[in-house]
Amino acid sequence: MTYQKNNEPGKIGRVADRPDPVRYLSILVRSLHQIAVALFIGSFLFNDNDRITGTFLIFVASSGLLLLALEGLRHRQFYREFFGLITFIKFVIIGFSYHHLLPPTPALMFVYFIAATISHAPKRIRHRLIF
């Protein structure tokens, strides 16, 4: 598989400069989001009550939306990039599992797997424009 270089138009979404304070805030928010995800998945694995699971869901959603906003400052076309599509798919699967339309534990493990895989993929894959 061949890829065009990053400076060739049309393959990777536009990237803006991001000041260092925003970058460091993004790292902090990403760490908090990973903690929230671990607590949320753990609440399903250990069969905590719905109140606790709902609280963790709010923590996951708020940290995830803040992280998406911070990433949107740099990657202005994220909704057209591969990681934007994966983010939408994660929302759908989490919603289905939270409402028990999918088996929660396997579905959330799959979401965690695709999130970890895409977040560690090379930039040319993660930020590739899909439409």
Side-chain angles (χ1 to χ4, degrees):
M1 184 177 254
T2 60
Y3 297 97
Q4 292 183 338
K5 294 188 190 267
N6 290 348
N7 59 358
E8 293 183 16
K11 292 295 180 186
I12 293 179
R14 289 185 305 170
V15 178
D17 291 331
R18 180 168 56 174
D20 282 342
V22 175
R23 178 176 306 162
Y24 298 135
L25 179 61
S26 178
I27 292 168
L28 175 67
V29 171
R30 185 177 309 277
S31 298
L32 292 173
H33 182 64
Q34 289 176 343
I35 291 169
V37 168
L39 292 171
F40 182 68
I41 290 174
S43 69
F44 275 103
L45 291 176
F46 298 116
N47 296 321
D48 284 344
N49 65 33
D50 288 338
R51 184 180 58 79
I52 292 174
T53 303
T55 302
F56 292 151
L57 179 61
I58 291 168
F59 189 22
V60 168
S62 59
S63 63
L65 289 173
L66 181 58
L67 182 60
L68 196 58
L70 290 169
E71 288 297 313
L73 291 175
R74 180 166 164 85
H75 300 282
R76 296 177 183 170
Q77 296 176 313
F78 72 87
Y79 55 90
R80 295 180 57 202
E81 296 176 4
F82 188 58
F83 99 89
L85 173 66
I86 294 299
T87 301
F88 177 74
I89 290 170
K90 290 186 319 187
F91 282 145
V92 170
I93 293 172
I94 289 170
F96 281 11
S97 66
Y98 185 76
H99 294 290
H100 300 286
L101 299 172
L102 288 173
T105 301
L108 291 174
M109 290 293 120
F110 177 70
V111 166
Y112 193 78
F113 174 78
I114 62 172
T117 303
I118 296 306
S119 69
H120 289 91
K123 184 192 317 186
R124 66 180 182 267
I125 294 171
R126 191 174 60 242
H127 295 292
R128 186 173 190 84
L129 289 174
I130 53 174
F131 62 91

